[in-house]
């Protein structure tokens, strides 16, 4: 029990540190979200008086007359209540609404793509490692090269070939704009159809790393005594591969998969930008361009919580799987 309490305390301190940095770093950046909002209003022909500017400062939580430490305390209180303020880039929409509408797109896209990449990479890695030294090993350099290709370059290639030249898939967007978003077969089908190219980009870029890692672990595991003992007993090759070698070789991949799930909410900013996908990555880029402190802080907070939660789950699972970590940690 002490092991689990120590881990929980560590991650709570890490969360507090991340939240604190999340508050101060955007305020160190040049520019002021109120100035940006005032400029937008003036471009639309509106007049801005000091009273209106003061009202917007209070609304956006950037009160220049309030000490920074009081802003920090107010930020912590609002965060606990789920009040992240008003978004400048989507004014006057609340930040919580912006995240609620964009987060499901990224979770669905990057989540499904990550699961597919892990499954394909691990299965291929098991077979390639089991048949080491054969022609299957030629797959490893090809997939690792694809993993080194930048996201945006691969996305542009897929758009040019599969989208523009062949016309198999739509070029941009998350769904057909003539449809009304909702839980119906037509909209879900359109969302899946528009998500093929972005998901394919993520899968192709990620599968090589999972394949290489699993292949190397398979080669290492097959040299262990328990695998050699199983072979000496005359067990079937398929049983040895699945229940002896692969079962132990995929453990690091399982841990890596759990950690990668934490980064799902971060999305793939570049991929979403190329395909104009309505995910949280594009909202983060939009927030940075507009000095939208409130939206930046909320998105960073969601990403931080997801990553820390995934790491905490992995640490706790390792404590269950391998009791030795509870005594050494």
């Amino acid at each position: 029990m002490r092991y689990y309490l120590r881990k929980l305390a560590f991650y709570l301190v890490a969360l507090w540190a991340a939240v604190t940095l999340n508050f101060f770093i955007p305020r160190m950046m040049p520019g002021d979200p109120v100035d940006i909002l005032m400029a937008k209003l003036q471009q639309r022909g509106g007049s801005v008086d000091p009273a209106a500017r003061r009202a917007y400062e209070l609304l956006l939580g950037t009160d220049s007359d309030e000490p920074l430490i009081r802003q920090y305390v107010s930020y912590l209180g609002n965060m606990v209540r789920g009040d992240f303020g008003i978004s400048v880039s989507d004014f006057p929409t609340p930040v919580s609404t912006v995240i609620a509408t964009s987060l499901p797109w990224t979770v669905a896209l990057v989540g499904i793509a990550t699961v597919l990449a892990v499954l394909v990479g691990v299965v291929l890695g098991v077979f390639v490692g089991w048949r080491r030294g054969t022609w299957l090993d030629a797959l490893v350099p090809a997939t690792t090269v694809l993993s080194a290709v930048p996201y945006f370059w691969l996305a542009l290639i897929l758009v040019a070939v599969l989208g523009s030249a062949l016309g198999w898939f739509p070029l941009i967007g998350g769904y057909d704009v003539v449809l009304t978003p909702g839980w119906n077969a037509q909209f879900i089908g359109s969302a899946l159809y528009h998500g093929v190219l972005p998901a394919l980009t993520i899968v192709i870029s990620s599968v090589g790393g999972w394949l290489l890692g699993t292949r190397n672990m398979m080669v290492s595991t097959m040299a262990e005594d328990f695998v050699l003992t199983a072979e000496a007993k005359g067990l079937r090759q398929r049983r040895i591969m699945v229940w002896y070698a692969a079962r132990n070789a995929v453990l690091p991949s399982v841990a890596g998969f759990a950690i990668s799930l934490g980064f799902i909410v971060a999305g793939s900013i570049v991929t979403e930008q190329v395909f104009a996908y309505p995910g949280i990555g594009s909202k983060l880029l939009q927030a940075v361009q507009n000095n939208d402190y409130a939206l930046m802080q909320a998105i960073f907070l969601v990403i931080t919580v997801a990553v820390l939660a995934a790491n905490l789950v992995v640490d706790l699972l390792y404590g269950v799987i391998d009791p030795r970590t509870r005594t050494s940690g």
Side-chain angles (χ1 to χ4, degrees):
M1 181 59 68
R2 182 179 300 176
Y3 168 82
Y4 297 108
L5 292 177
R6 187 167 61 248
K7 286 293 182 182
L8 183 60
F10 170 79
Y11 281 102
L12 287 176
V13 173
L15 176 61
W16 170 79
V19 168
T20 302
L21 290 175
N22 190 26
F23 172 81
F24 285 103
I25 290 179
R27 283 164 172 76
M28 298 177 184
M29 298 173 60
D32 187 345
V34 178
D35 291 336
I36 296 174
L37 185 57
M38 296 298 99
K40 289 182 179 180
L41 293 176
Q42 290 177 346
Q43 289 175 356
R44 297 173 183 175
S47 58
V48 180
D49 55 29
R53 179 181 177 84
R54 176 63 177 170
Y56 281 124
E57 285 182 349
L58 297 176
L59 181 64
L60 297 175
T62 58
D63 187 3
S64 57
D65 295 333
E66 186 178 15
L68 196 60
I69 187 64
R70 292 189 60 182
Q71 294 183 34
Y72 174 67
V73 174
S74 299
Y75 167 72
L76 293 179
N78 293 334
M79 183 188 66
V80 173
R81 294 193 300 269
D83 181 10
F84 300 106
I86 304 298
S87 172
V88 172
S89 51
D90 285 309
F91 187 84
T93 308
V95 170
S96 57
T97 302
V98 175
I99 293 179
T101 56
S102 59
L103 184 59
W105 289 96
T106 295
V107 171
L109 170 65
V110 187
I112 294 175
T114 301
V115 171
L116 289 176
V118 172
L119 290 177
V120 173
V122 168
V123 171
L124 289 178
V126 167
F127 280 103
V128 172
W130 181 255
R131 300 292 184 182
R132 65 191 185 282
T134 65
W135 63 271
L136 291 174
D137 269 341
L139 292 173
V140 178
T143 54
T144 52
V145 168
L146 289 176
S147 299
V149 173
Y151 267 29
F152 70 91
W153 187 85
L154 182 58
L156 292 175
I157 292 297
L158 293 178
V159 167
V161 177
L162 300 181
S164 181
L166 299 177
W168 290 352
F169 302 102
L171 301 179
I172 60 174
Y175 59 93
D176 194 340
V177 293
V178 301
L179 299 177
T180 301
W183 292 103
N184 54 77
Q186 189 176 11
F187 175 77
I188 294 176
S190 176
L192 292 175
Y193 182 51
H194 281 71
V196 170
L197 283 184
L200 188 60
T201 302
I202 298 173
V203 170
I204 293 176
S205 299
S206 306
V207 71
W210 297 106
L211 190 156
L212 180 62
T214 307
R215 184 261 179 197
N216 292 340
M217 284 303 303
M218 274 292 292
V219 172
S220 177
T221 304
M222 288 169 60
E224 296 290 340
D225 292 339
F226 62 87
V227 176
L228 299 178
T229 302
E231 292 176 343
K233 289 181 178 180
L235 299 179
R236 290 183 302 174
Q237 292 294 304
R238 179 176 297 180
R239 183 179 180 183
I240 297 174
M241 180 183 70
V242 175
W243 293 103
Y244 288 83
R247 186 178 180 180
N248 291 275
V250 300
L251 286 178
S253 297
V254 172
F257 172 68
I259 295 174
S260 67
L261 289 179
F263 289 93
I264 286 178
V265 294
S268 179
I269 298 177
V270 176
T271 302
E272 291 183 3
Q273 190 69 11
V274 171
F275 293 100
Y277 198 79
I280 202 169
S282 59
K283 290 297 181 182
L284 178 58
L285 182 61
Q286 181 181 347
V288 173
Q289 292 173 341
N290 291 279
N291 285 351
D292 193 344
Y293 294 162
L295 185 55
M296 278 191 289
Q297 288 175 324
I299 293 177
F300 289 149
L301 178 63
V302 171
I303 295 172
T304 300
V305 171
V307 173
L308 290 177
N311 280 272
L312 176 61
V313 170
V314 171
D315 275 350
L316 297 181
L317 285 178
Y318 262 113
V320 174
I321 296 173
D322 188 357
R324 294 173 299 179
T325 59
R326 297 201 298 265
T327 58
S328 61

